[in-house]
Amino acid sequence: MTWQEQWPGTPYESGSNPREETSGLFRVALKASACAASTEIATLRDEFGEIHVYESRTTAEQELLDDTDCSGLRFQQPAPNGSTDVDRYLVKVRDPELEPAERGPPEDGWTFNMRAQQVGALAETLFSAYSWNPPPIVSYAAKDLSLEPEDFQVAVNASPESISHSGLNGSDGRWMPDCEFIVHRRTSSPSKDDSGPVLKRYLAEIKHGSTGFERHQRQQMARIADETGDDLAVLLIRVKLQGTPQSYDLTIQTPSALSSENQFS
């Protein structure tokens, strides 16, 4: 499920107060969660595309919510930074998580839903989990610098400093890059601590799916790209995480509990 589909907009709920009749064209994006839950919606998207235009909101609600045999379908406010120009998303609302008091013993296992922040963090981890030489950046730097991968190595800074710039109105825009990649000329020393001279630095913003950039991020990234020389570049990295699990299971135990089962060493 993408970040847009988990945006906490106010969904339409059946069984609430009578709907107000609304007129004017109403554009709806059929999101992946709705397609996964309903074969009718999936067929509609496959045959006619993601975005559908209706004569009014009332017509859209009738056809997509009332006439579709699938519980849990809802209209949701579009994400503020989304790239799709629509009035609503059609999504499948996931079952709510249990309250802490409703859960059994932690050693028996608990299940939690994946949230948008976790998916975004997973996308960043694909790069920040490396101290040196994340494969995508090695491949990019090789093409960018016209070098063979064995001629350089890439250091990863997973906590770069924020970059700020005062605008014309006195406001301070601030951008915190997700990662910094420093490309060093490889030396004859086998130790990565003995890195050669810096060839180039990359400041990267990492997004997953079609998540949009905030205005101040775009402004700062564009400013840096315009003002810096050839030794520094800004990278916009989009990671597509297809097949990301919708939930995860875990157990929580103490060492004493494991010791009693002869499992702790």
Side-chain angles (χ1 to χ4, degrees), residues 50-244:
E50 177 187 8
I51 299 175
H52 290 250
V53 181
Y54 296 87
E55 294 181 354
S56 67
R57 172 169 180 157
T58 300
T59 303
E61 290 173 344
Q62 179 69 39
E63 295 188 18
L64 296 176
L65 300 178
D66 294 342
D67 295 344
T68 301
D69 185 18
C70 180
S71 62
L73 292 180
R74 298 288 186 269
F75 281 162
Q76 196 172 74
Q77 290 279 1
N81 297 322
S83 57
T84 306
D85 182 18
V86 295
D87 297 293
R88 290 293 186 274
Y89 296 152
L90 180 69
V91 302
K92 170 65 167 65
V93 179
R94 291 182 292 179
D95 295 332
E97 290 184 346
L98 295 175
E99 295 293 332
E102 299 174 320
R103 294 187 180 276
E107 59 270 17
D108 290 348
W110 291 338
T111 299
F112 293 88
N113 292 330
M114 287 285 286
R115 300 183 182 276
Q117 297 92 329
Q118 293 171 308
V119 179
L122 177 59
E124 294 180 23
T125 302
L126 297 176
F127 299 87
S128 62
Y130 291 86
S131 297
W132 291 87
N133 299 326
I137 303 303
V138 170
S139 296
Y140 182 87
K143 287 185 174 294
D144 184 38
L145 302 176
S146 299
L147 294 173
E148 295 297 327
E150 56 267 22
D151 294 334
F152 64 88
Q153 52 190 2
V154 181
V156 179
N157 176 12
S159 301
E161 295 182 357
S162 63
I163 300 171
S164 62
H165 175 67
S166 296
L168 296 177
N169 59 359
S171 62
D172 180 62
R174 186 174 297 273
W175 172 46
M176 177 75 76
D178 292 318
C179 275
E180 178 186 21
F181 306 107
I182 305 100
V183 183
H184 294 267
R185 174 77 67 178
R186 190 181 295 273
T187 66
S188 57
S189 172
S191 173
K192 288 187 172 68
D193 294 333
D194 297 329
S195 301
V198 174
L199 301 176
K200 194 161 187 175
R201 293 170 54 229
Y202 299 110
L203 296 175
E205 184 71 21
I206 303 170
K207 298 290 187 182
H208 71 92
S210 57
T211 304
F213 297 96
E214 297 181 13
R215 181 180 179 183
H216 73 276
Q217 290 178 322
R218 295 194 300 268
Q219 291 175 337
Q220 290 288 42
M221 289 185 288
R223 181 184 66 84
I224 295 170
D226 290 340
E227 295 180 0
T228 55
D230 295 336
D231 59 343
L232 175 64
V234 174
L235 301 182
L236 312 180
I237 302 174
R238 288 195 179 276
V239 179
K240 295 183 179 180
L241 296 173
Q242 297 180 353
T244 304

Side-chain angles (χ1 to χ4, degrees), residues 17-38:
N17 294 331
R19 306 169 190 159
E20 295 181 0
E21 179 70 29
T22 57
S23 59
L25 295 180
F26 193 77
R27 296 166 58 86
V28 180
L30 310 182
K31 307 307 288 185
S33 62
C35 295
S38 169

